[in-house]
């Protein structure tokens, strides 16, 4: 086994850029998703511009951390928390590897922003309009229709959908496999799909040119479909129906309708690929209004006491 030269280890303790590069290499060796790697790189480049030096000094590092997050203080929680998580993971790794004495984020007491989170979904009447728009006699239309239906049937993340290949679809058992290497959480999961969705995907695969790759969704040029292209397609459809629809709104819509139709919150967590119930609880909370409405309509008390009856009158008559 090749040994790491002591001079390299010594340089890592004194060079922030080298240490960050080493961390990126470590994450790649762990099999971290490409998208996550790029996210680390963006955060590190931003932070290095603030730090303005290669030599690691405790006070300068703490000052740079404060300056970096001061510049993001007015951002939305998600925009603030993502780089926070990236740097926190990096600094913890540095401490565990004896490259740093302490995590400056912990030492300064900086914490993530509380994300109360707005879950935006699309109501059923809008979905009905949206699903009627794609022209099914063109590849682009059939592809868009298939993406919409697959998302509404499974709640699949757009990034996971665009990594699907033909072999991920099991037409015999009506399932879609999210492979470990393409899953956001790096955990493989199997998603049930309806017969209708299976037939639509089968049709899409059948019209794909033979010289294209093995992915499920393509641009009309034969390139792998991506989130940016899908967002633009949904923008066009949104203009037609007069209501903004985004890729993640379709995922949220699946979640809400799944619960409305009697789905279990724990089953939803599994299907969505959430590591805990935090996000799932947001969908459940949105359902509280629905539950109140359904209760008002369906409570058995309505059969015995009319809603227009004043309860005070009942007691007066006794």
């Amino acid at each position: 086994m090749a040994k790491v030269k002591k001079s390299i280890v010594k340089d890592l303790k004194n060079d922030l850029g080298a240490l960050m590069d080493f961390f990126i290499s470590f994450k790649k060796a762990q099999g971290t998703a490409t998208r996550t790697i790029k996210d680390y790189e963006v955060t590190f480049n931003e932070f290095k511009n603030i730090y303005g030096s290669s030599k690691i000094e405790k006070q300068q590092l703490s000052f740079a951390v404060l300056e970096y997050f001061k510049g993001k203080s007015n951002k939305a929680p998600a925009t603030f928390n993502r780089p926070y998580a990236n740097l926190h993971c990096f600094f913890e790794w540095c401490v565990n590897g004896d490259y740093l004495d302490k995590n400056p984020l912990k030492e300064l007491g900086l914490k993530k922003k509380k994300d109360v989170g707005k879950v935006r979904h699309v109501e059923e009447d809008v979905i009905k309009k949206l699903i009627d728009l794609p022209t099914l006699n063109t590849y682009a239309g059939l592809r868009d229709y298939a993406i919409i239906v697959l998302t509404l049937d499974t709640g699949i993340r757009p990034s996971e959908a665009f990594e699907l290949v033909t072999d991920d679809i099991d037409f015999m058992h009506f399932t879609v496999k999210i492979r470990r290497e393409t899953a956001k959480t790096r955990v493989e999961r199997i998603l049930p799909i309806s017969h209708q969705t299976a037939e639509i995907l089968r049709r899409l695969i059948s019209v794909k040119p033979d010289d294209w790759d093995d992915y499920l969704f393509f641009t009309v040029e034969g390139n792998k479909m991506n989130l940016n292209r899908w967002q633009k397609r949904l923008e066009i459809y949104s203009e037609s129906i007069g209501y903004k629809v985004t890729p993640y709104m379709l995922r949220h819509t699946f979640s809400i309708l799944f619960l409305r139709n009697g789905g279990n919150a724990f089953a939803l967590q599994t299907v969505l690929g959430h590591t805990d119930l935090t996000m799932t609880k947001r969908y459940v909370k949105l359902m509280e209004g629905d539950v109140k409405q359904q209760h008002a309509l369906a409570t058995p008390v309505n059969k015995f006491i009319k809603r227009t009856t004043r309860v005070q009158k009942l007691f007066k008559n006794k």
Side-chain angles (χ1 to χ4, degrees):
M1 180 183 292
K3 294 183 178 180
V4 179
K5 293 181 180 179
K6 290 184 178 180
S7 59
I8 296 177
V9 177
K10 185 177 180 180
D11 289 339
L12 286 174
K13 284 197 171 186
N14 294 305
D15 191 315
L16 180 65
L19 200 53
M20 286 179 164
D21 289 341
F22 191 50
F23 173 83
I24 292 291
S25 296
F26 171 75
K27 284 296 180 180
K28 286 180 178 178
Q30 278 190 322
T32 302
T34 303
R35 183 178 177 183
T36 304
I37 293 294
K38 289 181 179 178
D39 208 31
Y40 277 125
E41 291 173 340
V42 169
T43 299
F44 290 172
N45 286 333
E46 289 178 348
F47 185 75
K48 283 189 288 187
N49 287 335
I50 295 291
Y51 190 71
S53 174
S54 60
K55 188 177 180 181
I56 297 176
E57 294 180 2
K58 180 182 175 181
Q59 288 186 338
Q60 187 176 349
L61 195 61
S62 296
F63 178 77
V65 167
L66 287 175
E67 286 296 306
Y68 180 71
F69 286 105
K70 188 170 70 175
K72 295 183 180 294
S73 60
N74 62 341
K75 301 294 183 181
T79 306
F80 181 94
N81 292 341
R82 189 177 298 112
Y84 180 96
N86 292 340
L87 285 176
H88 186 276
C89 183
F90 168 67
F91 290 139
E92 284 295 289
W93 177 82
C94 288
V95 172
N96 291 334
D98 291 328
Y99 301 116
L100 290 177
D101 294 329
K102 293 182 180 179
N103 180 340
L105 283 169
K106 283 185 176 180
E107 200 169 16
L108 289 167
L110 282 177
K111 298 183 182 298
K112 283 185 176 182
K113 281 188 176 183
K114 186 175 182 180
D115 189 0
V116 292
K118 288 185 178 180
V119 176
R120 294 192 61 197
H121 64 287
V122 185
E123 292 298 342
E124 293 183 41
D125 59 331
V126 177
I127 290 294
K128 289 177 181 177
K129 293 178 183 178
L130 174 66
I131 211 166
D132 283 339
L133 286 179
T135 51
L136 304 186
N137 60 346
T138 66
Y139 176 80
L142 180 59
R143 175 206 62 209
D144 294 350
Y145 185 75
I147 296 172
I148 293 169
V149 172
L150 177 64
T151 308
L152 291 174
D153 199 19
T154 65
I156 190 172
R157 294 182 178 93
S159 59
E160 295 172 338
F162 300 140
E163 292 294 334
L164 290 175
V165 297
T166 305
D167 287 344
D168 291 329
I169 315 301
D170 186 337
F171 290 105
M172 181 176 294
H173 299 97
F174 297 99
T175 60
V176 170
K177 179 171 69 176
I178 308 299
R179 286 168 281 120
R180 178 186 177 280
E181 60 269 25
T182 63
K184 181 180 178 181
T185 57
R186 317 310 284 168
V187 176
E188 181 180 296
R189 68 187 193 278
I190 303 296
L191 306 179
I193 58 174
S194 65
H195 288 235
Q196 302 96 306
T197 301
E199 285 305 310
I200 294 165
L201 295 180
R202 194 193 301 272
R203 173 62 180 167
L204 182 68
I205 292 170
S206 71
V207 300
K208 184 190 74 172
D210 294 335
D211 58 340
W212 286 6
D213 290 332
D214 197 35
Y215 290 106
L216 192 60
F217 300 113
F218 292 88
T219 66
V220 291
E221 298 85 9
N223 300 316
K224 185 177 73 169
M225 191 67 174
N226 58 61
L227 181 59
N228 185 51
R229 289 290 287 266
W230 181 226
Q231 286 174 328
K232 290 180 179 179
R233 293 294 292 179
L234 282 179
E235 286 174 4
I236 295 172
Y237 292 135
S238 296
E239 290 180 5
S240 297
I241 61 178
Y243 190 97
K244 184 178 180 180
V245 180
T246 68
Y248 260 84
M249 286 173 71
L250 293 176
R251 175 172 160 89
H252 297 325
T253 300
F254 158 79
S255 304
I256 294 297
L257 295 181
F258 182 89
L259 292 172
R260 278 183 186 171
N261 294 331
N264 182 282
F266 293 102
L268 179 62
Q269 177 190 352
T270 301
V271 172
L272 292 177
H274 291 158
T275 53
D276 57 46
L277 275 170
T278 303
M279 186 63 194
T280 312
K281 285 178 180 177
R282 295 184 186 175
Y283 298 122
V284 174
K285 188 173 183 180
L286 279 177
M287 289 295 298
E288 289 177 357
D290 286 348
V291 171
K292 289 179 181 178
Q293 291 174 5
Q294 291 300 311
H295 176 267
L297 293 172
T299 174
V301 169
N302 288 339
K303 290 188 176 183
F304 307 109
I305 304 175
K306 292 182 179 180
R307 295 178 66 183
T308 55
T309 301
R310 293 272 183 183
V311 175
Q312 292 91 331
K313 291 182 179 180
L314 294 176
F315 288 107
K316 285 181 179 180
N317 296 331
K318 295 296 183 182

